[in-house]
Amino acid sequence: MEYVIGVDSGGTHIVAQALSQDGKIMEQSESGPGNILLNPEQTIQNLKDVIESLFLKQKRIDCKYILIGIAGIETTGNSSEISQLLTDYFKVTTYVISDAKLALLNGLEGKDGTLIISGTGSVVYGRQNKEMLRYGGWGNLLGDTGSAYKIVSASMQLILKKHDLGFISSLEDILLNLLNASDVKEGVKNFYQLDRKQVASIAVTIAKAADKGNLDAITIIKEQAMALSKEALGLISRYQKPYPSK
């Protein structure tokens, strides 16, 4: 039976599926992290391992092609190189796109429309007449508007701004406690020692504070939500009429 393989290679883990022609999952395999920007060698090896595990259960000769969405591939800019490398390795035609584009194709089921991803980072993708469009998603330093990371960094900036003006933010005690800091200076020091994911994880606590009526938390989340919506509108402005509505 002919089948295809789809692979979602994300920052924390990789999921590979062998799919029949009518879209039913025949086999599934998982592996470790798959962000090619952060760890290219490990990502390639994990991809090889997870796909080979599918070939142990399904005939390689019956696989029509492999489609892989890899986190970080747009930043590294080497999708063609990785496609050829894996095509040569598996002896099966392999296509490589970003994990966000894969999510767009999957979420819209091949139709035109817009996808907003907002987790640790953020990006807005669109598809119209088989053309892919992108807005944002330039990482935590240059982009990721409305993401968990930005919510936390904006909260820290608000605390520091009020501190410099001689006021105390309603978020100060909450964040200093999470940062194991006794004062603002120590909080800044400890904040800079966190990695991207550790910073982003603090957003959950800020969201809970907003749910309980914390005005500074509410302000930050509203500002970031509006900023992300503006990015979505920016992408939509690039569509040709009639605009896809999904």
Side-chain angles (χ1 to χ4, degrees):
M1 179 188 295
E2 290 189 337
Y3 67 96
V4 298
I5 290 177
V7 185
D8 183 3
S9 181
T12 57
H13 70 291
I14 298 172
V15 178
Q17 295 178 336
L19 303 162
S20 63
Q21 293 297 293
D22 56 1
K24 293 181 180 179
I25 299 173
M26 301 164 62
E27 302 289 347
Q28 178 168 311
S29 182
E30 299 187 18
S31 184
N35 188 313
I36 202 161
L37 174 64
L38 301 180
N39 197 325
E41 292 82 9
Q42 181 187 45
T43 295
I44 295 300
Q45 187 57 54
N46 287 346
L47 285 170
K48 289 179 178 179
D49 291 344
V50 77
I51 294 172
E52 286 288 6
S53 69
L54 294 180
F55 285 142
L56 290 175
K57 301 172 183 177
Q58 300 293 329
K59 293 181 179 179
R60 188 186 306 255
I61 195 171
D62 290 336
C63 183
K64 295 185 66 178
Y65 64 84
I66 302 169
L67 175 62
I68 308 176
I70 306 180
I73 197 71
E74 290 204 349
T75 303
T76 58
N78 60 344
S79 59
S80 297
E81 177 186 336
I82 301 302
S83 293
Q84 190 60 56
L85 184 153
L86 295 177
T87 294
D88 293 341
Y89 181 81
F90 293 119
K91 308 303 180 186
V92 177
T93 300
T94 302
Y95 303 98
V96 171
I97 59 176
S98 73
D99 58 336
K101 284 184 179 179
L102 184 67
L104 175 70
L105 294 172
N106 186 47
L108 298 175
E109 298 178 335
K111 298 178 182 178
D112 287 350
T114 309
L115 173 75
I116 301 174
I117 297 177
S118 182
T120 301
S122 74
V123 67
V124 183
Y125 267 105
R127 182 176 187 267
Q128 186 179 37
N129 300 324
K130 298 183 178 181
E131 180 184 1
M132 294 286 194
L133 302 172
R134 168 181 166 165
Y135 199 114
W138 300 114
N140 59 299
L141 296 180
L142 301 176
D144 286 352
T145 302
S147 67
Y149 186 98
K150 282 300 184 190
I151 287 171
V152 179
S153 63
S155 296
M156 281 296 293
Q157 290 171 335
L158 177 63
I159 288 172
L160 296 176
K161 180 179 180 180
K162 288 196 172 185
H163 173 78
D164 290 343
L165 291 171
F167 300 105
I168 298 176
S169 166
S170 58
L171 280 172
E172 184 172 308
D173 286 345
I174 295 173
L175 264 69
L176 291 184
N177 180 58
L178 288 171
L179 293 167
N180 297 314
S182 58
D183 55 33
V184 170
K185 288 184 178 180
E186 187 178 12
V188 171
K189 176 185 175 183
N190 293 349
F191 179 87
Y192 279 123
Q193 293 176 348
L194 301 178
D195 63 29
R196 179 170 167 265
K197 289 183 180 179
Q198 289 173 322
V199 170
S201 68
I202 298 174
V204 175
T205 302
I206 297 172
K208 289 179 178 178
D211 287 340
K212 293 179 180 178
N214 185 300
L215 295 180
D216 281 349
I218 291 171
T219 296
I220 291 297
I221 289 177
K222 282 186 174 181
E223 287 177 351
Q224 288 300 311
M226 289 299 294
L228 184 58
S229 69
K230 288 180 180 178
E231 293 201 344
L233 291 173
L235 181 134
I236 290 171
S237 71
R238 297 177 60 192
Y239 287 142
Q240 302 296 316
K241 292 183 179 180
Y243 299 155
S245 59
K246 190 167 185 180

